[in-house]
Amino acid sequence: MTSFAPRAPYASDPSRSRGREFSIENGIARGARSPYQRDRDRIIHSIAFRRLRYKTQVFVAPDGDHYRVRLTHSLEVAQIARVIARILGLDEDLTEALALAHDIGHPPFGHAGEDALDAALHKAGGFDHNAHTLRTLMRLDSPYCEHDGLNLTWETLEGLAKHNGPVTEPTWALAELDAAYNLDLGTHASLEAQVAALSDDIAYDNHDIDDGLRAGFLDLDELLAHPFVVDHWAEVERRYPGVPLDRQLAELIRSQIGVMVNDLVAQTQKNLVGIGSIDEVRHAGRALVAFSPEMAEGERAFKRFMYEKLYYHPEQLETAKRARALLAELYSAYSQETVLMDESWIDTMPRFEPDRSRHIADYIAGMTDRFAIARHAEIYGRTPEGLSNV
């Protein structure tokens, strides 16, 4: 039976939070919730989080109800991350908040949309979805009367900024936010942020198998023969002979998630020997939450397989090309005629560059796939073809 550790000395402690950017809330007691619980709840109730329901995960604007989208992916990441955090004695609420928010900065059409906005802003500093997550939560999504943004705790913002490691060369968006509220970009993030980052990998490594097979983009025999999968599949067949294939595949995905979680926990516990505080975590010089070398090597090889067979599938690449063209045309239209934007965005349009171009990109980045398609049809009088490949 799995044992769950009490709060570890290297965990983030809500009672010792560094507070929030806008000090109007610092030190204010708000019922029974901890600061990290409030962060999680603010994220869940935000408009930006709700929009993830109609934003691309792997497949653009999927017609089928069973494909993952950014919202369901984020929920799966949060589930995995909470389990790991509990076993390691970390703060589950902070971990969950980071997992739920990690993809909020994605524009419509996933990485294809990011590429389009990055190209559109080539004279204005470019576009990066990680930095845009912070920009959205700290400035754009503003439901409160007292301040801009959601005013999340320093620990949540720091974790979102550095979940992939220290940031030595921040983009303009992250640099601006860091100048306003120092996020200590040069150090490693908390263990909670590191757990959320690798939970993201565990989730999409496995649920993309399900979606790829459902779409017919992955060849079942090739998949089941891959070294990362083959032993797990043999065990599933041994334990469940004669069971329908769809149930066996679901068991394969479940078992692989479990194996990866257990490996990560065991290796991380080894890495944490001698670590006695969160300050030591931040100055460890390396990420402490990690897979074993063997698992890391196997996971990297499996990612290469998935990129070749799924993410870079010819149909995927063609759909991404169409998505980039759509967003480029939207950006061009709004740049030439800002009156085409929603009224609230027209009213707040900056007069000068680069803020003007960045404002237009903010507007487009907040769109869902289907909203972007609809606005393009309104402006250009046609509905783009081939934007959903499943």
Side-chain angles (χ1 to χ4, degrees), residues 35-53:
Y36 304 149
Q37 288 175 320
R38 295 202 298 275
D39 282 1
R40 176 204 58 209
D41 297 346
R42 290 178 185 194
I43 291 163
I44 289 173
H45 288 278
S46 69
I47 290 175
F49 184 72
R50 293 199 296 275
R51 286 176 180 153
L52 296 180
R53 178 185 178 191

Side-chain angles (χ1 to χ4, degrees), residues 217 308-320 389:
F217 285 14
E308 178 186 354
K309 302 298 182 180
L310 178 59
Y311 309 132
Y312 291 164
H313 187 283
E315 288 191 37
Q316 289 280 73
L317 296 178
E318 184 60 32
T319 302
N389 51 11

Side-chain angles (χ1 to χ4, degrees), residues 66-248:
H66 297 167
Y67 291 98
R68 271 78 172 183
V69 292
R70 288 285 167 191
L71 179 60
T72 57
H73 165 68
S74 298
L75 294 173
E76 291 179 355
V77 174
Q79 180 272 316
I80 294 169
R82 281 200 74 123
V83 170
I84 297 170
R86 180 173 296 189
I87 296 171
L88 294 175
L90 306 179
D91 190 282
E92 293 180 53
D93 300 310
L94 175 58
T95 308
E96 184 179 21
L98 291 164
L100 292 173
H102 80 282
D103 270 352
I104 274 179
H106 270 287
F109 312 129
H111 291 287
E114 180 173 13
D115 291 342
L117 290 181
D118 189 45
L121 291 183
H122 71 281
K123 294 183 179 179
F127 181 91
D128 171 69
H129 80 268
N130 283 324
H132 196 69
T133 292
L134 274 293
R135 184 169 168 84
T136 299
L137 296 174
M138 295 177 71
R139 296 293 179 265
L140 300 178
D141 200 331
S142 298
Y144 297 99
C145 297
E146 301 98 333
H147 51 73
D148 289 337
L150 301 187
N151 205 25
L152 304 177
T153 62
W154 185 91
E155 290 76 19
T156 296
L157 299 175
E158 178 235 15
L160 291 170
K162 303 187 298 186
H163 63 277
N164 289 325
V167 181
T168 56
E169 297 182 4
T171 60
W172 67 267
L174 185 54
E176 281 189 358
L177 297 169
D178 183 59
Y181 191 46
N182 185 359
L183 296 175
D184 198 13
L185 296 179
T187 63
H188 281 273
S190 65
L191 294 173
E192 287 82 0
Q194 295 179 36
V195 164
L198 285 187
S199 297
D200 183 24
D201 288 354
I202 294 171
Y204 77 73
D205 280 346
N206 289 287
H207 66 47
D208 289 356
I209 293 174
D210 186 26
D211 285 354
L213 289 171
R214 179 174 288 110
F217 285 14
L218 290 178
D219 180 85
L220 181 61
D221 291 335
E222 280 189 323
L223 171 70
L224 298 181
H226 192 279
F228 194 69
V229 176
V230 63
D231 289 342
H232 300 142
W233 179 243
E235 179 63 15
V236 170
E237 287 190 307
R238 185 191 67 79
R239 293 178 62 192
Y240 303 104
V243 172
L245 179 62
D246 60 337
R247 296 190 184 188
Q248 289 181 321

Side-chain angles (χ1 to χ4, degrees), residues 20-28 30 145-147 151:
R20 304 177 186 273
E21 178 182 8
F22 300 104
S23 59
I24 186 170
E25 293 186 76
N26 290 336
I28 297 178
R30 298 207 179 236
C145 297
E146 301 98 333
H147 51 73
N151 205 25

Side-chain angles (χ1 to χ4, degrees), residues 334 337-350 359 363 367 371 375 378:
Y334 294 138
E337 298 184 62
T338 57
V339 293
L340 295 172
M341 299 171 68
D342 287 353
E343 185 175 349
S344 61
W345 287 84
I346 298 172
D347 293 342
T348 54
M349 175 67 69
H359 186 76
Y363 177 56
M367 295 180 178
F371 187 78
R375 294 311 298 265
E378 289 175 7

